[in-house]
Amino acid sequence: MAGLEVYQILVPLIALFAITLTLISHFKGQNTLFESFFWVLLWLGIAVVAIIPDEITNALSHALGIKDNVNAIIFIGLAASFFIHFKTFSVIKEQNRVITKLVRKISLTQFETKEKEK
Amino acid sequence: MGVFSGEIKDKVLIVIPVFNEEGRIGRVVSELLERGYLNVLVVDDGSSDNSSKEAIDAGAFIVRHIINRGAGAATATGMEIFRKSEKFKIAVTMDGDGQHYTEDVIYLMQMHIEQGADITIGDRFSSGKNVIPFRRKVYNVIADLVTGWMSFRMVSDSQSGFRVWSRKAVEKINIEQDGFEFCSEVVIKAHHHGLKISNVPIRVKYTEESMQKGQGFLVGVKTFFNLLHHVLFKIK
């Protein structure tokens, strides 16, 4: 492992930190199994690419049919980013829906109580 | 204009979603009650001013959201109350800032019944007589194009808040969008359910206060993405 670049040490350390946080969240019951699995896999993938970049990126570019391995990584990064954004958007929408449902339930209960008192 | 008796007006629920309309909502409610509408429901969407008190003093029924959830959420709460009472046959939604003329309610209902519509939209643009700010005109053209594209039809004034609903329309359409995007959502869902939409010209008066509210460019962008998400992933 002689001649390691700085990022090849830094990125796996960040990934290790992120995986630890994910596992802590999981055991606190804050993540579903799928979410924890997804994030652990994602950070493991990033760490592996940082440790052996050429082998992985060449294999990916070959598998995707994209000539340049850097382009393959950019393509995968954009796709992953889009997926995460979409997922976040969907989660926020769902949270908003639940809040509105709760607010409506409270307001209707108060309304019915007041109407009965009249 | 006076073809609706008090008995018929008792079957109408007027739903007014309101957010910080102190100084305006009381006047709107009073006018409606003077015109013989017995059931005026103000949905106070978490106002921080005296809108609720003003509406109560004027004689409206009040249902209050504890926090602000948006015009769509407030309208949906009003429609929930409509659904719970079999007595109501027609729902009317209108804005609480006084931009709509209360005397147009009866005209809109007459046209609704005559044309056998499920939803009648009070159309601000078709008469060409209303003085509407340019910015709002542009926004509405874009909103109509997007709504039309998503419902595969030409639509006109899809963003108008002045509407008459049949009981069938209220039962069929479940408003899920919290913000102003519910205006387009209702039109899209009405077409999806095969409901008849009718447009009837109305008059409007814009004030500086009413211009500060409503839909701007950023709301438009948010509306577009929310509707796209809704059309792609929610409508079955």
Side-chain angles (χ1 to χ4, degrees):
Chain A
M1 297 290 279
L4 277 180
E5 301 288 342
V6 176
Y7 81 90
Q8 288 180 297
I9 299 164
L10 209 59
V11 172
L13 281 176
I14 293 169
L16 192 66
F17 179 67
I19 289 169
T20 311
L21 286 183
T22 305
L23 291 177
I24 290 170
S25 297
H26 180 76
F27 289 114
K28 279 183 179 172
Q30 291 165 346
N31 293 346
T32 64
L33 185 65
F34 174 78
E35 283 166 344
S36 301
F37 185 71
F38 172 81
W39 287 113
V40 168
L41 210 65
L42 182 81
W43 282 111
L44 273 179
I46 290 169
V48 171
V49 171
I51 295 164
I52 43 170
D54 291 342
E55 290 86 340
I56 299 287
T57 55
N58 283 332
L60 282 173
S61 66
H62 182 72
L64 289 170
I66 298 170
K67 266 189 180 178
D68 186 357
N69 58 348
V70 176
N71 285 343
I73 288 299
I74 291 169
F75 174 77
I76 291 167
L78 280 175
S81 167
F82 181 78
F83 172 76
I84 292 165
H85 272 92
F86 177 73
K87 184 78 187 153
T88 311
F89 180 74
S90 297
V91 169
I92 292 170
K93 289 275 297 173
E94 179 58 18
Q95 292 296 321
N96 275 331
R97 197 187 62 78
V98 171
I99 293 168
T100 300
K101 207 174 160 185
L102 182 66
V103 168
R104 182 167 301 128
K105 193 161 189 179
I106 293 167
S107 65
L108 290 176
T109 306
Q110 287 174 344
F111 177 75
E112 280 161 12
T113 310
K114 258 192 258 168
E115 287 303 302
K116 274 180 197 161
E117 284 170 1
K118 275 184 185 172
Chain B
M1 290 288 269
V3 295
F4 289 101
S5 65
E7 195 184 335
I8 292 175
K9 281 179 176 172
D10 190 34
K11 292 176 180 168
V12 177
L13 180 68
I14 300 182
V15 177
I16 311 176
V18 157
F19 178 63
N20 290 344
E21 295 293 1
E22 183 182 345
R24 294 171 289 277
I25 184 60
R27 201 171 57 239
V28 174
V29 172
S30 300
E31 280 184 25
L32 287 166
L33 292 172
E34 278 164 20
R35 292 182 191 286
Y37 299 99
L38 306 172
N39 308 299
V40 179
L41 176 71
V42 170
V43 185
D44 181 1
D45 190 27
S47 295
S48 54
D49 62 6
N50 282 321
S51 297
S52 275
K53 189 180 177 307
E54 202 176 296
I56 291 169
D57 290 346
F61 294 98
I62 281 280
V63 57
R64 194 166 196 281
H65 284 177
I66 51 171
I67 52 170
N68 181 248
R69 299 306 299 151
T75 305
T77 300
M79 291 307 179
E80 195 60 41
I81 289 172
F82 179 94
R83 281 187 203 102
K84 284 185 178 183
S85 174
E86 288 295 324
K87 152 178 129 166
F88 298 127
K89 302 299 174 202
I90 289 178
V92 177
T93 53
M94 62 190 298
D95 292 358
D97 60 359
Q99 69 168 272
H100 300 134
Y101 289 81
T102 53
E103 57 261 47
D104 282 352
V105 173
I106 199 136
Y107 168 63
L108 217 58
M109 286 203 303
Q110 273 176 343
M111 297 307 285
H112 177 81
I113 292 167
E114 269 178 38
Q115 296 180 1
D118 293 302
I119 291 179
T120 299
I121 298 175
D123 194 326
R124 297 163 290 176
F125 300 97
S126 56
S127 73
K129 289 177 185 167
N130 290 315
V131 181
I132 299 171
F134 179 72
R135 183 160 53 95
R136 197 144 282 194
K137 276 185 191 169
V138 171
Y139 175 79
N140 272 280
V141 168
I142 297 169
D144 284 350
L145 286 173
V146 170
T147 310
W149 171 58
M150 288 180 179
S151 54
F152 306 109
R153 276 172 182 83
M154 285 286 287
V155 297
S156 177
D157 204 1
S158 58
Q159 307 307 297
S160 172
F162 198 2
R163 294 174 177 188
V164 177
W165 304 54
S166 66
R167 179 145 202 116
K168 184 180 164 192
V170 178
E171 300 283 0
K172 291 252 180 195
I173 297 173
N174 179 29
I175 298 171
E176 292 175 89
Q177 300 296 317
D178 285 349
F180 284 111
E181 56 270 31
F182 89 98
C183 295
S184 295
E185 181 200 2
V186 168
V187 174
I188 294 167
K189 284 185 172 173
H191 284 308
H192 186 75
H193 288 296
L195 300 174
K196 185 180 175 187
I197 296 181
S198 174
N199 279 60
V200 170
I202 54 160
R203 299 165 297 159
V204 278
K205 45 181 185 284
Y206 283 105
T207 60
E208 266 184 40
E209 286 149 335
S210 62
M211 273 306 292
Q212 281 165 4
K213 290 192 169 188
Q215 312 188 39
F217 178 72
L218 281 177
V219 175
V221 173
K222 184 174 152 258
T223 298
F224 175 75
F225 281 108
N226 278 333
L227 279 176
L228 190 64
H229 180 263
H230 188 80
V231 168
L232 290 176
F233 300 101
K234 293 278 183 174
I235 292 181
K236 294 176 187 104

